[in-house]
Amino acid sequence: MICLKNKFTQFYLVSLAMIALGLIEIYFNYTNANTTERLYFGFLKLFVGAMLLVFAITSHVKFNTNRKQLERELSKDYDERDDLIEGKAAHFTISILMIVTILMMFLSKWITIPTNTALMIIIVFSLITSTLAKKYYNHFL
């Protein structure tokens, strides 16, 4: 969200800079009556800057209304039940992870287990148990 705010600020700055450059170019072309060929580029820069400013304002307003609507919808869907499910699933996953780690430590006395393989087994077990625990608690709570 911070990145998008900076993006809108950059849109505003670029559009205002284009407008300013167009106005400066038009002013200097009118004071120097010998050159008339650059007069159209000043108007073009002014027009492009104005269009960018309109685009930045409409995008900013649209983003703010969509964000507020999304926050309202998410606050309705998220309740204490989701917190309870996340907590129970995390507790179950940590319990299984400790059992797998102790089992691998016990087996490593007799079997040579490479570190990468051991870490991969732990990651796979934690992913599987976390997913299954969330589905289990979501179904029964």
Side-chain angles (χ1 to χ4, degrees):
M1 189 164 56
I2 293 171
C3 181
L4 286 176
K5 287 183 181 179
N6 290 340
K7 183 174 140 184
F8 293 130
T9 306
Q10 290 172 359
F11 276 153
Y12 290 133
L13 290 176
V14 167
S15 63
L16 291 176
M18 289 287 284
I19 291 171
L21 286 174
L23 289 174
I24 290 170
E25 194 166 340
I26 290 170
Y27 174 74
F28 282 124
N29 282 336
Y30 276 130
T31 57
N32 190 2
N34 294 334
T35 59
T36 58
E37 56 198 33
R38 291 194 173 235
L39 181 67
Y40 299 113
F41 289 114
F43 282 119
L44 184 64
K45 286 180 185 176
L46 185 68
F47 179 72
V48 169
M51 293 302 291
L52 281 175
L53 184 64
V54 168
F55 176 73
I57 291 171
T58 55
S59 296
H60 199 167
V61 169
K62 187 176 180 181
F63 171 73
N64 282 338
T65 56
N66 285 344
R67 186 187 62 176
K68 289 178 184 176
Q69 184 181 12
L70 183 65
E71 285 176 358
R72 276 190 234 119
E73 289 176 5
L74 288 176
S75 66
K76 292 176 188 173
D77 293 340
Y78 191 80
D79 56 350
E80 291 93 20
R81 184 173 159 262
D82 293 334
D83 283 338
L84 181 67
I85 290 171
E86 288 290 326
K88 287 189 176 280
H91 180 70
F92 182 71
T93 303
I94 288 176
S95 301
I96 295 296
L97 191 61
M98 287 189 324
I99 291 171
V100 168
T101 306
I102 291 172
L103 183 65
M104 289 182 68
M105 287 171 58
F106 176 74
L107 288 176
S108 68
K109 297 242 184 224
W110 295 284
I111 304 171
T112 307
I113 302 174
T115 308
N116 290 339
T117 307
L119 291 174
M120 186 65 173
I121 290 171
I122 290 173
I123 289 171
V124 167
F125 266 100
S126 65
L127 286 174
I128 290 171
T129 55
S130 175
T131 306
L132 291 177
K134 284 181 185 177
K135 286 186 179 184
Y136 172 79
Y137 286 117
N138 197 12
H139 180 69
F140 284 104
L141 288 180

